[in-house]
Amino acid sequence: MKDLVSKVLKGDPHSIARLITLAENNDPVATSAMKDIHPHTGSAHVIGITGVMGSGKSTLICELTRLFRKQGKTVGIIAIDPTSPFSGGALLGDRVRMTELAMDDGVFIRSMGTHGMLGGLTSAVYDVVEILDASGKDVVIVETVGVGQAEVDVIKIADTTLVIVVPGLGDSIQTLKAGIMEIADIYVVNKADRPGVEQTVAEVESLVDISCSGKEKKIPVLSTVAKQNKGIDELLKEIDKHKKHLEKTKEFEKQRRLRYEAELVEIIRKRLMNFIFDESTFKDKIESLINQISKKQVDPYTAAEEILGKILK
Amino acid sequence: MFDKKELENIKKNRKDWEKNNYNTHVKKHPERKTKFENLSSNEIKNLFTPEDIAHLDYLKDIGFPGEFPFLRGVHPTLYRGRLWTFRQFSGFGSAEETNQRYKYLLDHGETGLSVAFDYPTLYGYDTDHPMSRGEFGKCGVAISSLQDMEILFSDIPIDKVTTSMTINGPAAIVWGFYIANAENRGVDRRIIGGTIQNDILKEYIAQKSWIFPPEPSMRLIVDTFEFGFKEIPRWNTISISGYHIREAGSTAVQELAFTVGDGVEYVKWAMKRGLDIDKFAPRLSFFFNAHNDFFEEIAKYRAARRIWAKELKKLGAKKPRSMLMRFHTQTAGCSLTAQQPEINIARVTMQGLAAVLGGTQSLHTNSMDEALALPSEKAVRIALRTQQIIAEESGVTSTVDPLGGSYYIEWLTDKMEEETYKYWDRVEQLGGVLPAIEKGFYQREIANAAYKYQKEIDENKRIIVGVNDYQLDEPIDIPILKMDEKGEERQINRLKKLRKDRNKQKYERNLERLRKAAEGDENLMPFILDCVHSYATLGETCQVLRDVFGEYEEPAIY
Amino acid sequence: MERKIRVLVAKPGLDGHDRGAKIVARALRDAGMEVIYTGLHQTAEMVVEAAIQEDVDVVGLSLLSGAHMTLFVDVAKLLKKKGMSDVLIVGGGIIPEEDVPKLKKEGISAVFGPGTPCDEISDYIKKKVKR
């Protein structure tokens, strides 16, 4: 185990990959390894990228990564796709868009399913970010499909969050209006060679104006055509600028605290749930309580209090 | 199409028949299934009568062979005049081996050639390129330069035999090899005949052997159209193909809709260039699949002809020759089973028959062993014999469009046309053919259809003889084609020697000229021909265009 | 949480026939596995690099071009060289019967030809992968 951690810290891809798997499976080995790894984390710049299906996120990430590599930075990419709620399986295809990074030693790509997190990110993402960070990656990119909870989760993990919208996909603007406007540090209108780009940029900017009114820093809106490598340089500059801004102000500290808080809550939640629902001691009790609820012999609140009472004792 | 009173009478009698005869019979002896469907998941009812085609106007909607809308065939006499071309797609290993196979096929009664190229050639790589590793000669013959083309056709009368070449991304260059070879042999380029597939849209949609992005690819294609009708007038400069769309798992309706839709797209691009539709349209040809559902396939070919004629007229074609759809057919490779391979002969017979009843201009019948490997000589011969039996023994060639007027066939033809227009509307809503490709519309439709088909087989809802029923546990005894193991080495040595021996100054200058022309907007064919003549290789010529045009990246659809 | 089997579905070489690979990828997802699809035109090095980073239990290779004796074997050898010999390798496509024993000798555990029901593939993987 010590061996695994030291190899991860040296950046050995096999060990990184294996520790990620262990973490995804809540393996006790991973728990103990994560404890050893934490002191070595904190130096990576974590970038969250979210946007609806078809917004060209993977291509954008591919292009961004190429530029990071030119600057001599190493990059870890976590590509997250939804897990099927029916089979529990997942089809993870983001590598298809990143084949040109495949042979670069300075890039590590990992695909993950969302697992059973009701549309949100699997809790293992926190671990994977830390593992890649500790392994020496200068930049860690977390890519999520912008549907629901995952989008809101990513902001807690990322130091810098990019929201991608596309002209002609009206839904993406609608989603912004629906409240996730708050999450972006940078807006990217990708596929800006499509008709309707001016309108989309204008729409996003007016939304930014509303949400930033009274604040001293306005959220930037950039146009890119990732496929033709247009606007990526500017985007990179904007990302660097945001990072510098974070470091200069107290924001960085605040952002990291947000991540650790979310992580802590998540670990406690997960442990508690496991404790209650996986422990055989409670299994029969829960079964019988459900029966009683169905028969109206007890109400769900009283049942829940009964279980919690047993734990809190 | 029928007298109103007569129709009323038929309707009344049909209802009586249903009540007194059919329904009581079904009550006692239920039908095998509650619902009968064809391969496109359209429900097929128990019986078709004049009522189902009453809305058709014979002269307007059906008409006569050789006349608009060409539903019944492109020639007035069809097979009474001349049989379809027996054209077996073939190619493997080195040019020498394939040359031998062509001579064998011609000796056994084949009437046209059809070249299969290996993967490196299809992607515009020479045999000695790193990406070519393991692929030499596997799926077709390797052609890296004019020299290989010379060997491929040595002692074959290219002034008489027509040659079809399945090549898309680098089609202009490979066509250049063929033209240059003819010229070097003293054959007038105005008399050589054949086809280049040259259909990049279906590569993006289904077959996935592309090189350049859509815009420059379309430019190259229009270049060949223009060069073709001016310089090589007997050449079909495109074969707009549904075959591969079907092989990728589409339904028959999707094959029809996407292919004819692609055809219209090419016409629009050529017209945008300012080419006269009546000059280039007669050189457009098509290529369809012949799958298992007999009547659906026949209806598909008929509907394709009618839609094409109507659309070309709409686009402004004046000459009938521009509106008639000529097509090649190949039986469905994906329908062949690796289990009990001999029974594929029966499948191929029915599929080939459907193509002939659908009025095809040329036909490839698959060999029984193709789900296992490249076909052996014997298997190819049986496949060719199958065509000969259809032509000589079955009697289906005696009259034109023998199924025309069948209530079922005419209804189905009409239905498939209707479904085609529905698909076109959806493509239109996405912004047209190229945006639909970029959005992965076709790819997703096909992947869904393929998955559905496979699930039906896995769940035994669809029976494939020998696969999920009537299985046999017996070792497969089919002779497998052995390739010359020295072929690759020979080819690489030949390339090495060529690179050393040719006039360096000349081919480099020609490649540079091609680069300049590609950066501008001249027709590239003359420049390509110069490169080819000076023995620039396929890979070198393609690389110049790759540098200028870039390479295509597919949207990720799965 | 139940341990998910992770499968890399890859298309090495130039062959563009991805119908089978995509059907199998979907079917394995529907059988509860996490499937990483690489897309077309992968070199053996790319396949192996992906297998390492994704820490997969299974590498599924699909090839209809006939280049399997070279490219499948390349992948198998490189996996071994890179210390991934515990990964299950399966193949599919147009593979002549006589090549199957040779492929097995090189470490490709199973070859699924045309007509193989998807369940057979997922059952095989589930049986073979025990973690």
Side-chain angles (χ1 to χ4, degrees), chain A residues 72-83:
Chain A
K73 290 177 180 163
T74 53
V75 182
I77 299 169
I78 308 167
I80 301 162
D81 273 326
T83 294

Side-chain angles (χ1 to χ4, degrees), chain B residues 119-120 123 125 131-135 138-139 206-210 246-250 291 334 336-339 370-374 443-444 447-451 453-455 457-458 467 476 480 482 554 557-558, chain C residues 12-20 22-31 37 39-43 46 63-71 74 93-98 102 113-120:
Chain B
Y119 267 107
Y123 282 94
Y125 294 128
M131 276 307 281
S132 305
R133 184 172 157 70
E135 305 277 8
K138 287 294 187 329
C139 262
Q207 178 76 355
K208 317 287 171 80
S209 321
W210 53 69
R246 193 66 180 280
E247 288 292 300
S250 83
H291 210 288
C334 63
L336 299 177
T337 57
Q339 297 78 2
E370 288 187 60
L372 299 164
L374 281 178
Q443 300 91 312
R444 204 170 287 116
N448 289 343
Y451 192 51
Y453 183 79
Q454 184 60 41
K455 273 188 101 160
I457 294 170
D458 285 356
V467 172
I476 293 166
I480 299 290
K482 282 273 173 291
E554 75 162 336
I557 307 297
Y558 32 86
Chain C
L14 292 171
D15 173 32
H17 294 95
D18 55 4
R19 173 181 182 168
K22 285 178 174 177
I23 287 178
V24 170
R26 281 196 196 194
L28 296 181
R29 174 199 61 192
D30 291 348
Y37 179 59
L40 299 172
H41 309 157
Q42 303 290 300
T43 61
M46 288 157 94
L63 202 50
L64 282 76
S65 73
H68 48 271
M69 288 311 290
T70 310
L71 297 178
D74 280 357
I94 306 280
I95 316 267
E97 198 72 26
E98 60 174 50
K102 294 181 217 157
T116 309
C118 291
D119 289 351
E120 194 181 315

Side-chain angles (χ1 to χ4, degrees), chain B residues 242-258:
Chain B
Y243 183 80
H244 319 82
I245 292 174
R246 193 66 180 280
E247 288 292 300
S250 83
T251 65
V253 167
Q254 288 167 348
E255 180 195 353
L256 171 66
F258 300 168

Side-chain angles (χ1 to χ4, degrees), chain C residues 69 73 99-111 124:
Chain C
M69 288 311 290
V73 173
D99 288 349
V100 174
K102 294 181 217 157
L103 288 172
K104 287 197 171 158
K105 227 176 102 195
E106 295 289 350
I108 289 92
S109 311
V111 173
Y124 178 84

Side-chain angles (χ1 to χ4, degrees), chain B residues 147-393:
Chain B
Q147 199 177 38
D148 297 335
M149 192 65 101
E150 289 162 359
I151 296 167
L152 184 64
F153 285 95
S154 67
D155 303 319
I156 289 172
I158 48 175
D159 51 340
K160 296 193 181 72
V161 179
T162 60
T163 303
S164 170
M165 294 190 281
T166 297
I167 189 85
N168 296 279
I173 302 164
V174 173
W175 190 33
F177 290 151
Y178 195 88
I179 299 167
N181 180 40
E183 288 174 336
N184 289 349
R185 280 172 58 172
V187 178
D188 183 358
R189 66 187 191 184
R190 301 195 71 83
I191 70 159
I192 56 170
T195 306
I196 40 174
Q197 195 163 73
N198 207 15
D199 171 14
I200 202 68
L201 293 174
K202 67 94 176 50
E203 296 296 332
Y204 301 138
I205 291 174
Q207 178 76 355
K208 317 287 171 80
S209 321
W210 53 69
I211 303 179
F212 315 115
E215 299 256 342
S217 292
M218 294 301 272
R219 169 203 173 171
L220 266 174
I221 289 165
V222 178
D223 282 355
T224 60
F225 287 2
E226 187 181 19
F227 187 78
F229 75 74
K230 287 180 180 156
E231 301 289 331
I232 326 277
R234 291 174 61 185
W235 203 277
N236 300 312
T237 36
I238 195 166
S239 171
I240 304 148
S241 305
Y243 183 80
H244 319 82
I245 292 174
R246 193 66 180 280
E247 288 292 300
S250 83
T251 65
V253 167
Q254 288 167 348
E255 180 195 353
L256 171 66
F258 300 168
T259 308
V260 184
D262 287 350
V264 171
E265 185 72 8
Y266 289 117
V267 172
K268 288 180 178 162
W269 279 73
M271 291 176 77
K272 224 166 31 187
R273 171 82 64 90
L275 303 186
D276 177 357
I277 189 169
D278 281 317
K279 288 235 167 74
F280 70 82
R283 298 323 306 174
L284 308 179
S285 65
F286 284 80
F287 173 22
F288 290 108
N289 196 295
H291 210 288
N292 285 339
D293 194 313
F294 190 68
F295 291 108
E296 187 179 28
E297 294 303 291
I298 297 168
K300 178 183 75 185
Y301 309 121
R302 300 175 85 247
R305 268 195 303 270
R306 185 163 66 195
I307 299 169
W308 184 245
K310 287 204 267 190
E311 291 303 313
L312 267 279
K313 198 173 208 174
K314 263 195 245 164
L315 287 162
K318 297 276 179 304
K319 292 186 183 156
R321 187 73 182 74
S322 309
M323 301 173 211
L324 58 85
M325 170 190 274
R326 296 164 304 128
F327 64 92
H328 171 70
T329 308
Q330 178 170 342
T331 59
C334 63
S335 75
L336 299 177
T337 57
Q339 297 78 2
Q340 305 178 46
E342 298 86 352
I343 64 174
N344 287 322
I345 298 173
R347 286 194 184 95
V348 167
T349 307
M350 275 194 291
Q351 294 165 354
L353 184 60
V356 168
L357 290 171
T360 194
Q361 274 57 61
S362 65
L363 179 61
H364 165 107
T365 34
N366 285 328
S367 303
M368 59 175 157
D369 50 2
E370 288 187 60
L372 299 164
L374 281 178
S376 67
E377 217 163 66
K378 183 177 177 188
V380 176
R381 192 176 65 234
I382 293 172
L384 180 60
R385 293 284 179 265
T386 305
Q387 291 201 40
Q388 289 157 342
I389 290 170
I390 296 172
E392 307 290 351
E393 299 182 13

